[in-house]
Amino acid sequence: MAAVTRLFRLPPSPIESSVEGRLFVFAGFAVAVLAIVLYGQDYVVPIAGVLVAAAGHVVSYRERNSRRTFWRQTLLATLVFGALFYVLSDSALALFGGILPQANFAILLVAITSFDLKTRRNCYSSMWISLAILYLAAVYAWDYAFGLLLVGWTFCLAAFWTASHLRRNEAAFRLPARAVAVAAVVALFSGVVWFVVTPQPSGAPVSPLVVSLPNFTSFKGDMESPALPLVQIAGDPTGATSSVDLHYRGRLGDSPVMYVRTGAPAYWRGLVFDTYRDGVWTASIRDYQQLEPYVPPRVLPPAPPDNLGTFVQTFRVLRDMPGVISAAYPVESLYAPVSGLREDAYGTFHTPEQLRAGQTYSVVSYLPNLTAGVLRTDAPLDQLPDHFLTYSDVGALSDRAIALAASVTRDQPTYFDKVMALTTYLQTNYRYTLDLPPVPSGRDPVDWFLFDVKTGYCEQFATAETLLLRSQGIPARLATGYATGDYDPVLNQAVVRERDAHAWVEVWFPRHGWVPVDPTPGVSPLAATQFPSHWAAGGVARLLPHLTVGAPASALGSIGALALLPAALGIAVVVAVLYAWLRRRRWVARRRPQPGEVELLRLYERLQRRLGRRRAPPETPLEYQRSIESALLEEVTRAVNEGAYARRWPEPRRVREMAQRIS
Amino acid sequence: MQEVSLQPRRAAELLERVETNVHRVIVGKDRVVRLALAGLVAGGHILLQDLPGTGKTMLARALATSVGGTFRRIQCTPDLLPSDITGSSVFNQKDLTFEFVPGPIFAHIVLADEVNRTTPRTQSALLEAMGEGQVTVEGTTRVLERPFFVVATQNPAEFHGTYPLPESQLDRFVLAAEMGPPTDAEALEVLARREHGDPIAELGAVIEIQEVIELQEACLRVVAAPAIRSYLVALLQAVRARSEVLLPASMRAGVYLQRAAQAWALFEGRDFVLPDDVKLLAVPVLAHRLGMRGRAKAADMLDEVVSTVPIPPLRQH
């Protein structure tokens, strides 16, 4: 038994006496809390946590040399359980309306345990919890500022290590200059090589070298329509709209709109539009079907042929939204906790009221088997959709646009290939941007997009594609909604944000119905829901918080290779510190304490405290013993001398016997 | 061949026997006696600095007699020649050959009295024998019998017609000690013992000369832990850092301090060195070899250093 406990007992950690080191531990925590404040938009618990932790650090430092008392440890443990109760109640019942209950829990944990930071290991534990807090913030972070926070935390860790470890060993910290230089040069060089070698998609060509700070993240304000930014509010009691105006565009923020727990990544399809007039999309078919809150499969259209099965999505609405059920298409069945549902002519469900923050609904959707091979063999256009004329109306599309569509699709053998040709043509020859100048008055937004600016956002792409397809006799319509969102591995769900709002095209295929197609650059042209294995395979990469290439890559495009400098320097510093640390590790091989050694020295310390005067540094144990009358001290001193200077430590059992005599 | 090594306890017993025996002649002076004996056990040589008539010769003789070794005395004078110490070849007229007549250096314990009175040339011959443990006379190297222990004395009060030993020569003595004046009680006791003769005549050997060699070997086996070595280095560094030190302690000083501390441990029957041993021996081992600036006293400075340098942590990382 004793052997087992010895096996699992950690080696003793020295008491941390470096004030600077402790300061950096606290700073690391402050950095993590700052991240939560910035990205979690939560203030009360984080600020309280920092204040409590500051007090805790002071207490820990002052009492670092005294023993831990039973009652205080009990109190701290109770508080930890209290924090646990808080996180459970807040996440299950939303008692305090916490956005990030798990982050608040971690903050409370650090605040409580900061009263118990005695040893160096305690300090390291505190740093690791800070890292966990930072990680939770990373789930919501979406900019370079977060990288700065991460660098700040890393600096705190390195500084704590330096202050604590090197100060204690009275070793001077010397930066290995050569290693730093080599690492910096290699990092810079490989960064440049990587930048040069990485293929740049022609859909998003690299901008000329412009030295500027990335400002794509600066927007934090509201959108013109906070709920569904593509849609102008137009008097509908549910908040849903009946039009999309290409002349206007609300800028999209980063705040989450809803969480989706889903079995497969998909586009969350909302409103669909069929009529385009003067830059404005409207829905002309006004047939509604009234349904119960639970819509069973038998009420809905039959399953698509050769479907791969179904998957469940659970949506949690985070803010008030129009009463439109966003879900993967086609729907097999659904349940929304409302008084009733309406299904419109486009297969979208509407709730009688606005969707409120905190509401949840579940949808079961089909995984349609839509691949290029399957669609290519679809029958020719022998079966037309209802309202065929509406879906073929090109409005005021210019002749040169029609000619363009004809030239692109001319040599394509099949119906499907024509669709794909147009889609990929738009993807490769037009650039995506959110910074679009206003449409000149009198111009048709589509014609202006196709032949003048040649840049646009999803609505421009989708509108152009829809009209071009229609001009070639292919029925199509505009679908709006949200992209999948970012997978959050902590909560195991996708976080859908404002900026995930999206528009794409639905194309009629006689055997498969409406098939989603996405002409926006950088995404799969065939936008049908993917088989979940794709989602699972991406899981490893998604475990790293938001290493999405898009934003950093576009930033790189705007600031050029200079953007590599901070990254390269960061890598170089980390490598250098690691190198120095490894060198040190090799030089100072730690000796394992012998049995009885730790116990005896601990007893010796205790005895000194008990005797009221501690041994002065220049005083030998023998001199100390001679200055104080104590039979036990005499015995302990003899043992200490034997141990420290002859390496003959007493049996732990003997130490315990001596320890019993102390009181 | 079975080697019987001396246990620390047995070593302490032998040393105590010698000390007791010496104290039959030398009254008091426990510390000097023990230091002299420690010098012998450490395998080095010692320097006694004091006025004439304080018992330096008596101590050396008593020590020699107690360990059953041969004892010679060299009275150093300005006209003393190296061959007077090492010996020389003498023509034997009977069988017409040169015969080597060994000098007084060929003994276990040699008292070099008033070593600063003789010329540097003779001094260096003596000191070379001390360092090497052998003498070379007329091309023939002769190894001195172990143990070989030189007690040199120096009269610090007289400067007229003396050749003070330079620091480099002083460095060869493992330790230096002063006899110091006797207390009244000691003086009375000395007079009482001498009332009816000289007690040294009745003194006999209490251990064999072979046992001295065993003691020296036991001294080598005494453990000086890494912490002790760190402490030694810290002490030497601290001495070097002192502004009043002109000529700092050499590495040899550190080696001797460690060796002397090992010998000192044997007196208490320990097989390991304590920092206390080092502290206690710092002045005897280091003081005489330091070159000091102005009128600063090495012993005072060393006392201060020893009382301020922290001993290394008990737990070694």
Side-chain angles (χ1 to χ4, degrees), chain A residues 12 588-591 593 597-598 601 604 615 617-623 626 640-642 644-649, chain B residues 223-228 231 268 270-276 279 305-317:
Chain A
V588 190
R590 267 183 98 100
R591 194 174 62 81
E597 174 176 353
V598 177
L601 291 181
Y604 190 44
R615 185 172 64 86
E619 208 173 11
T620 67
L622 211 55
E623 285 170 341
R626 282 182 189 135
V640 165
N641 273 338
E642 285 252 335
Y645 300 112
R647 290 286 165 75
R648 284 193 296 264
W649 297 96
Chain B
V223 174
I228 294 295
Y231 184 50
E268 292 175 15
R270 269 186 280 114
D271 60 351
F272 57 94
V273 177
L274 283 183
D276 305 84
K279 276 193 167 187
V305 166
V306 157
S307 60
T308 49
V309 171
I311 69 159
L314 299 174
R315 171 162 158 62
Q316 298 279 303
H317 286 288

Side-chain angles (χ1 to χ4, degrees), chain B residues 191-263:
Chain B
L191 291 176
R193 283 195 194 173
R194 302 269 174 143
E195 192 182 356
H196 302 297
D198 198 344
I200 192 130
E202 298 155 21
L203 212 61
V206 286
I207 65 170
E208 290 166 25
I209 198 72
Q210 185 57 35
E211 282 174 320
V212 174
I213 294 174
E214 282 175 23
L215 279 170
Q216 289 182 344
E217 283 164 0
C219 168
L220 295 179
R221 285 195 302 272
V222 170
V223 174
I228 294 295
R229 282 199 282 279
S230 318
Y231 184 50
L232 283 170
V233 171
L235 277 183
L236 294 182
Q237 289 285 10
V239 168
R240 194 163 299 152
R242 296 289 292 218
S243 57
E244 61 261 53
V245 173
L246 203 63
L247 187 76
S250 65
M251 196 58 241
R252 179 164 28 198
V255 173
Y256 278 161
L257 185 49
Q258 174 172 292
R259 179 75 72 243
Q262 285 174 304

Side-chain angles (χ1 to χ4, degrees), chain A residues 227-278:
Chain A
L228 193 58
L230 302 173
V231 174
Q232 308 297 305
I233 296 280
D236 188 297
T238 69
T241 180
S242 54
S243 69
V244 171
D245 191 337
L246 259 59
H247 294 94
Y248 300 105
R249 165 88 178 172
R251 295 227 33 189
L252 304 178
D254 293 330
S255 42
V257 174
M258 56 189 178
Y259 292 148
V260 187
R261 189 157 288 162
T262 174
Y267 282 171
W268 316 124
R269 179 181 179 270
L271 296 174
V272 176
F273 303 90
D274 57 8
T275 307
Y276 179 75
R277 286 285 177 273
D278 302 329

Side-chain angles (χ1 to χ4, degrees), chain A residues 272-316:
Chain A
V272 176
F273 303 90
D274 57 8
T275 307
Y276 179 75
R277 286 285 177 273
D278 302 329
V280 180
W281 278 102
T282 48
S284 62
I285 310 161
R286 302 203 170 272
D287 301 339
Y288 285 104
Q289 188 185 357
Q290 198 66 37
L291 295 163
E292 291 296 304
Y294 171 62
V295 186
R298 59 184 162 74
V299 180
L300 289 165
D306 316 328
N307 70 74
L308 301 169
T310 57
F311 67 102
V312 182
Q313 313 125 61
T314 307
F315 295 83
R316 182 175 166 203

Side-chain angles (χ1 to χ4, degrees), chain A residues 257-576:
Chain A
V257 174
M258 56 189 178
Y259 292 148
V260 187
R261 189 157 288 162
T262 174
Y267 282 171
W268 316 124
R269 179 181 179 270
L271 296 174
V272 176
F273 303 90
D274 57 8
T275 307
Y276 179 75
R277 286 285 177 273
D278 302 329
V280 180
W281 278 102
T282 48
S284 62
I285 310 161
R286 302 203 170 272
D287 301 339
Y288 285 104
Q289 188 185 357
Q290 198 66 37
L291 295 163
E292 291 296 304
Y294 171 62
V295 186
R298 59 184 162 74
V299 180
L300 289 165
D306 316 328
N307 70 74
L308 301 169
T310 57
F311 67 102
V312 182
Q313 313 125 61
T314 307
F315 295 83
R316 182 175 166 203
V317 177
L318 296 176
R319 50 194 285 178
D320 292 355
M321 284 170 69
V324 176
I325 299 282
S326 303
Y329 182 81
V331 173
E332 188 241 15
S333 61
L334 80 112
Y335 172 74
V338 292
S339 55
L341 286 168
R342 280 187 307 159
E343 186 195 7
D344 65 16
Y346 309 98
T348 301
F349 294 87
H350 298 255
T351 57
E353 301 280 326
Q354 276 194 312
L355 285 173
R356 298 289 174 197
Q359 273 187 338
T360 304
Y361 60 89
S362 303
V363 181
V364 182
S365 298
Y366 289 109
L367 265 172
N369 184 17
L370 295 177
T371 58
V374 169
L375 289 172
R376 200 167 276 136
T377 57
D378 199 311
L381 204 55
D382 53 357
Q383 194 182 347
L384 299 176
D386 299 339
H387 312 283
F388 171 71
L389 288 179
T390 311
Y391 293 132
S392 306
D393 180 8
V394 296
L397 191 64
S398 62
D399 289 341
R400 54 175 177 170
I402 296 172
L404 174 70
S407 71
V408 169
T409 56
R410 185 176 300 134
D411 299 331
Q412 299 303 324
T414 65
Y415 183 82
F416 170 76
D417 287 319
K418 287 182 183 184
V419 173
M420 282 299 114
L422 263 176
T423 312
T424 49
Y425 177 80
L426 285 172
Q427 282 196 343
T428 49
N429 293 310
Y430 292 83
R431 255 185 72 202
Y432 183 86
T433 181
L434 285 171
D435 294 318
L436 199 62
V439 184
S441 59
R443 288 295 304 274
D444 175 50
V446 172
D447 191 63
W448 183 66
F449 164 70
L450 281 176
F451 300 105
D452 291 323
V453 282
K454 296 201 173 187
T455 59
Y457 41 87
C458 51
E459 287 165 67
Q460 262 81 12
F461 282 93
T463 305
E465 161 121 11
T466 310
L467 297 181
L468 293 178
L469 283 172
R470 285 180 179 183
S471 74
Q472 297 307 304
I474 300 170
R477 62 189 186 187
L478 182 83
T480 62
Y482 290 93
T484 310
D486 298 305
Y487 180 65
D488 170 359
V490 175
L491 304 168
N492 182 29
Q493 61 196 9
V495 181
V496 181
R497 299 161 202 268
E498 289 173 2
R499 59 174 160 72
D500 288 320
H502 194 40
W504 61 96
V505 183
E506 286 187 345
V507 182
W508 174 260
F509 280 77
R511 297 286 173 274
H512 291 92
W514 294 100
V515 170
V517 167
D518 196 340
T520 307
V523 300
S524 166
L526 192 58
T529 304
Q530 300 295 311
F531 192 69
S533 66
H534 176 252
W535 182 251
V540 178
R542 282 163 195 278
L543 280 176
L544 300 169
H546 295 291
L547 281 181
T548 321
V549 187
S554 63
L556 277 181
S558 69
I559 69 171
L562 280 179
L564 296 170
L565 263 177
L569 288 179
I571 292 168
V573 166
V574 168
V575 166

